[in-house]
Coordinates of all heavy atoms in Angstrom, one line a residue:
Chain C
E374 N -32.0 82.7 -37.0 CA -32.8 83.2 -38.1 C -33.1 84.7 -37.9 O -33.6 85.3 -38.8 CB -34.1 82.4 -38.2 CG -35.1 82.5 -37.1 CD -36.3 81.7 -37.3 OE1 -36.2 80.7 -38.0 OE2 -37.4 82.0 -36.8
R375 N -32.7 85.2 -36.8 CA -33.0 86.7 -36.6 C -31.7 87.5 -37.0 O -31.8 88.7 -37.0 CB -33.2 87.0 -35.1 CG -34.2 86.2 -34.4 CD -35.6 86.9 -34.5 NE -36.6 86.2 -33.8 CZ -37.1 86.7 -32.7 NH1 -36.8 87.9 -32.2 NH2 -38.1 86.0 -32.1
L376 N -30.6 86.9 -37.1 CA -29.4 87.6 -37.3 C -29.2 88.1 -38.8 O -29.6 87.4 -39.7 CB -28.2 86.8 -36.9 CG -28.2 86.3 -35.4 CD1 -27.0 85.4 -35.2 CD2 -28.1 87.6 -34.5
A377 N -28.6 89.3 -38.9 CA -28.3 89.8 -40.2 C -27.2 89.0 -40.8 O -26.3 88.5 -40.1 CB -27.8 91.2 -40.1
P378 N -27.2 88.8 -42.1 CA -26.1 88.1 -42.8 C -24.8 88.7 -42.4 O -24.7 90.0 -42.3 CB -26.4 88.2 -44.3 CG -27.9 88.4 -44.3 CD -28.2 89.2 -43.1
G379 N -23.8 87.9 -42.2 CA -22.5 88.5 -41.8 C -22.2 88.5 -40.4 O -21.1 88.6 -39.9
T380 N -23.3 88.4 -39.6 CA -23.1 88.4 -38.1 C -22.2 87.2 -37.7 O -22.3 86.1 -38.4 CB -24.4 88.3 -37.4 OG1 -25.3 89.3 -37.9 CG2 -24.3 88.4 -35.9
I381 N -21.5 87.3 -36.7 CA -20.6 86.2 -36.2 C -21.3 85.7 -34.9 O -21.6 86.4 -34.0 CB -19.2 86.7 -35.9 CG1 -18.5 87.1 -37.2 CG2 -18.4 85.6 -35.2 CD1 -17.1 87.7 -37.0
V382 N -21.4 84.3 -34.9 CA -21.8 83.7 -33.6 C -20.6 82.9 -33.1 O -20.1 82.1 -33.8 CB -23.0 82.7 -33.9 CG1 -23.3 81.9 -32.7 CG2 -24.3 83.5 -34.3
V383 N -20.3 83.1 -31.9 CA -19.2 82.4 -31.2 C -19.8 81.5 -30.1 O -20.1 82.1 -29.1 CB -18.1 83.3 -30.7 CG1 -16.9 82.5 -30.2 CG2 -17.7 84.3 -31.7
D384 N -19.9 80.2 -30.3 CA -20.3 79.4 -29.3 C -19.2 78.9 -28.4 O -18.3 78.2 -28.9 CB -21.1 78.2 -29.8 CG -21.5 77.2 -28.7 OD1 -21.9 77.8 -27.6 OD2 -21.5 76.0 -28.9
M385 N -19.1 79.4 -27.2 CA -18.0 79.0 -26.3 C -18.4 77.9 -25.3 O -17.5 77.6 -24.4 CB -17.6 80.3 -25.6 CG -17.2 81.4 -26.6 SD -16.4 82.9 -25.9 CE -14.8 82.3 -25.6
S386 N -19.5 77.4 -25.4 CA -19.9 76.2 -24.6 C -19.1 75.0 -25.0 O -18.5 75.0 -26.1 CB -21.4 75.9 -24.9 OG -22.2 77.1 -25.1
T387 N -19.1 74.0 -24.1 CA -18.5 72.7 -24.5 C -19.6 71.8 -24.9 O -20.4 71.4 -24.1 CB -17.7 72.2 -23.3 OG1 -16.6 73.0 -23.0 CG2 -17.2 70.8 -23.6
I388 N -19.6 71.5 -26.2 CA -20.6 70.7 -26.8 C -20.0 69.6 -27.7 O -18.8 69.6 -27.9 CB -21.7 71.5 -27.6 CG1 -21.1 72.1 -28.8 CG2 -22.3 72.5 -26.6 CD1 -22.1 72.8 -29.7
R389 N -20.9 68.8 -28.3 CA -20.4 67.7 -29.2 C -19.9 68.3 -30.5 O -20.5 69.2 -31.1 CB -21.5 66.8 -29.5 CG -21.8 65.8 -28.3 CD -23.2 65.1 -28.5 NE -23.5 64.8 -29.8 CZ -24.7 64.5 -30.3 NH1 -25.7 64.6 -29.4 NH2 -24.9 64.2 -31.5
P390 N -18.7 67.8 -31.0 CA -18.2 68.4 -32.2 C -19.1 68.2 -33.4 O -19.2 69.1 -34.2 CB -16.9 67.5 -32.4 CG -16.5 67.0 -31.1 CD -17.8 66.9 -30.3
D391 N -19.9 67.2 -33.4 CA -20.8 67.0 -34.6 C -21.9 68.1 -34.5 O -22.4 68.6 -35.5 CB -21.4 65.6 -34.7 CG -22.2 65.2 -33.4 OD1 -21.7 65.5 -32.3 OD2 -23.2 64.6 -33.6
V392 N -22.3 68.4 -33.3 CA -23.3 69.5 -33.2 C -22.7 70.8 -33.6 O -23.4 71.6 -34.3 CB -23.9 69.5 -31.7 CG1 -24.8 70.8 -31.5 CG2 -24.6 68.2 -31.4
A393 N -21.5 71.0 -33.2 CA -20.8 72.3 -33.6 C -20.8 72.4 -35.1 O -21.0 73.4 -35.7 CB -19.4 72.3 -33.0
R394 N -20.5 71.2 -35.8 CA -20.4 71.2 -37.2 C -21.8 71.5 -37.8 O -21.9 72.3 -38.8 CB -19.9 69.9 -37.8 CG -18.4 69.8 -37.6 CD -17.8 68.6 -38.4 NE -18.2 67.3 -37.7 CZ -17.5 66.8 -36.7 NH1 -16.3 67.3 -36.3 NH2 -17.8 65.7 -36.2
S395 N -22.8 71.0 -37.2 CA -24.2 71.2 -37.8 C -24.6 72.6 -37.5 O -25.4 73.2 -38.4 CB -25.2 70.2 -37.3 OG -25.5 70.4 -35.9
L396 N -24.2 73.2 -36.4 CA -24.5 74.7 -36.2 C -23.8 75.5 -37.2 O -24.4 76.5 -37.7 CB -24.1 75.1 -34.8 CG -24.9 74.4 -33.6 CD1 -24.2 74.8 -32.3 CD2 -26.3 74.9 -33.6
A397 N -22.6 75.2 -37.5 CA -21.9 76.0 -38.5 C -22.6 75.9 -39.9 O -22.7 76.9 -40.6 CB -20.4 75.5 -38.6
A398 N -23.0 74.7 -40.2 CA -23.7 74.5 -41.5 C -25.0 75.2 -41.5 O -25.4 75.9 -42.5 CB -24.0 73.0 -41.7
A399 N -25.7 75.2 -40.4 CA -27.0 76.0 -40.3 C -26.7 77.5 -40.4 O -27.5 78.2 -41.1 CB -27.7 75.7 -38.9
G400 N -25.6 78.0 -39.9 CA -25.2 79.4 -40.1 C -24.9 79.7 -41.5 O -25.5 80.6 -42.1
D401 N -24.1 78.8 -42.1 CA -23.8 79.0 -43.5 C -25.0 79.2 -44.4 O -25.1 80.0 -45.3 CB -23.1 77.7 -44.1 CG -21.6 77.8 -43.8 OD1 -21.1 78.9 -43.3 OD2 -20.9 76.8 -44.1
A402 N -26.1 78.4 -44.1 CA -27.3 78.4 -44.9 C -28.0 79.8 -44.8 O -28.8 80.1 -45.6 CB -28.2 77.3 -44.5
R403 N -27.6 80.5 -43.7 CA -28.3 81.8 -43.5 C -27.3 83.0 -43.7 O -27.6 84.1 -43.4 CB -28.9 81.9 -42.1 CG -30.2 81.1 -42.0 CD -30.5 81.0 -40.5 NE -31.8 80.3 -40.3 CZ -31.8 78.9 -40.4 NH1 -30.7 78.3 -40.6 NH2 -33.0 78.3 -40.2
G404 N -26.1 82.7 -44.1 CA -25.1 83.7 -44.2 C -24.5 84.2 -42.8 O -23.8 85.2 -42.8
V405 N -24.8 83.4 -41.8 CA -24.2 83.8 -40.5 C -23.0 82.9 -40.3 O -22.9 81.8 -40.6 CB -25.3 83.5 -39.4 CG1 -24.6 83.6 -38.0 CG2 -26.5 84.4 -39.5
R406 N -21.9 83.6 -39.7 CA -20.6 82.9 -39.6 C -20.5 82.4 -38.2 O -20.4 83.2 -37.2 CB -19.5 83.9 -39.9 CG -19.7 84.5 -41.3 CD -18.6 85.4 -41.7 NE -18.7 86.7 -41.0 CZ -17.7 87.6 -41.0 NH1 -16.5 87.4 -41.5 NH2 -17.9 88.8 -40.4
V407 N -20.4 81.1 -38.0 CA -20.4 80.5 -36.7 C -19.0 79.9 -36.4 O -18.4 79.2 -37.2 CB -21.4 79.3 -36.6 CG1 -21.4 78.7 -35.2 CG2 -22.8 79.9 -36.9
L408 N -18.5 80.2 -35.2 CA -17.3 79.6 -34.7 C -17.6 78.7 -33.4 O -18.5 79.1 -32.7 CB -16.3 80.7 -34.2 CG -15.8 81.7 -35.3 CD1 -14.9 82.8 -34.6 CD2 -15.0 80.9 -36.3
D409 N -16.9 77.6 -33.3 CA -16.9 76.9 -32.0 C -15.7 77.3 -31.3 O -14.6 77.2 -31.8 CB -17.1 75.4 -32.1 CG -16.1 74.8 -33.1 OD1 -16.2 75.1 -34.3 OD2 -15.4 73.9 -32.7
A410 N -15.8 77.8 -30.0 CA -14.7 78.4 -29.3 C -14.7 78.0 -27.8 O -14.7 78.9 -27.0 CB -14.6 79.9 -29.5
P411 N -14.7 76.7 -27.5 CA -14.7 76.4 -26.1 C -13.4 76.8 -25.4 O -12.4 77.1 -26.1 CB -14.9 74.9 -26.1 CG -14.3 74.4 -27.4 CD -14.6 75.6 -28.4
V412 N -13.5 76.8 -24.1 CA -12.4 77.3 -23.3 C -11.9 76.4 -22.3 O -12.6 75.4 -21.9 CB -12.9 78.6 -22.6 CG1 -13.5 79.6 -23.5 CG2 -13.8 78.3 -21.4
S413 N -10.7 76.6 -21.8 CA -10.1 75.9 -20.7 C -9.5 76.9 -19.7 O -9.0 77.9 -20.2 CB -9.1 74.9 -21.1 OG -8.5 74.2 -20.0
G414 N -9.6 76.6 -18.4 CA -9.0 77.5 -17.5 C -9.9 77.8 -16.3 O -9.4 78.4 -15.3
G415 N -11.1 77.4 -16.4 CA -12.0 77.4 -15.2 C -12.5 78.8 -14.9 O -12.2 79.8 -15.6
E416 N -13.2 78.9 -13.7 CA -13.8 80.1 -13.3 C -12.7 81.2 -13.1 O -12.8 82.3 -13.5 CB -14.5 79.9 -12.0 CG -15.3 81.1 -11.5 CD -16.0 80.9 -10.2 OE1 -15.9 79.7 -9.6 OE2 -16.6 81.8 -9.6
Q417 N -11.6 80.8 -12.5 CA -10.5 81.7 -12.3 C -10.0 82.3 -13.6 O -9.8 83.5 -13.7 CB -9.3 81.1 -11.5 CG -8.4 82.0 -10.8 CD -9.1 82.9 -9.8 OE1 -9.9 82.4 -9.0 NE2 -8.9 84.2 -9.9
G418 N -9.8 81.4 -14.6 CA -9.4 81.9 -15.9 C -10.4 82.8 -16.6 O -10.0 83.8 -17.3
A419 N -11.7 82.6 -16.3 CA -12.7 83.5 -16.8 C -12.7 84.8 -16.2 O -12.7 85.9 -16.8 CB -14.1 82.8 -16.6
V420 N -12.5 84.8 -14.9 CA -12.4 86.1 -14.1 C -11.2 86.9 -14.6 O -11.2 88.1 -14.8 CB -12.4 85.8 -12.6 CG1 -12.0 87.1 -11.8 CG2 -13.7 85.2 -12.1
D421 N -10.0 86.2 -14.7 CA -8.8 86.9 -15.0 C -8.5 87.1 -16.4 O -7.5 87.7 -16.8 CB -7.6 86.0 -14.4 CG -7.6 85.8 -12.9 OD1 -8.4 86.5 -12.3 OD2 -7.0 84.9 -12.5

Side-chain angles (χ1 to χ4, degrees):
Chain C
E374 68 180 26
R375 309 267 186 113
L376 298 177
T380 308
I381 295 175
V382 171
V383 186
D384 177 38
M385 305 190 74
S386 321
T387 295
I388 65 170
R389 284 165 34 201
D391 62 314
V392 173
R394 281 190 290 272
S395 72
L396 292 173
D401 274 354
R403 285 169 181 78
V405 171
R406 301 182 286 166
V407 179
L408 297 174
D409 51 297
V412 307
S413 178
E416 186 181 359
Q417 199 60 46
V420 169
D421 299 343

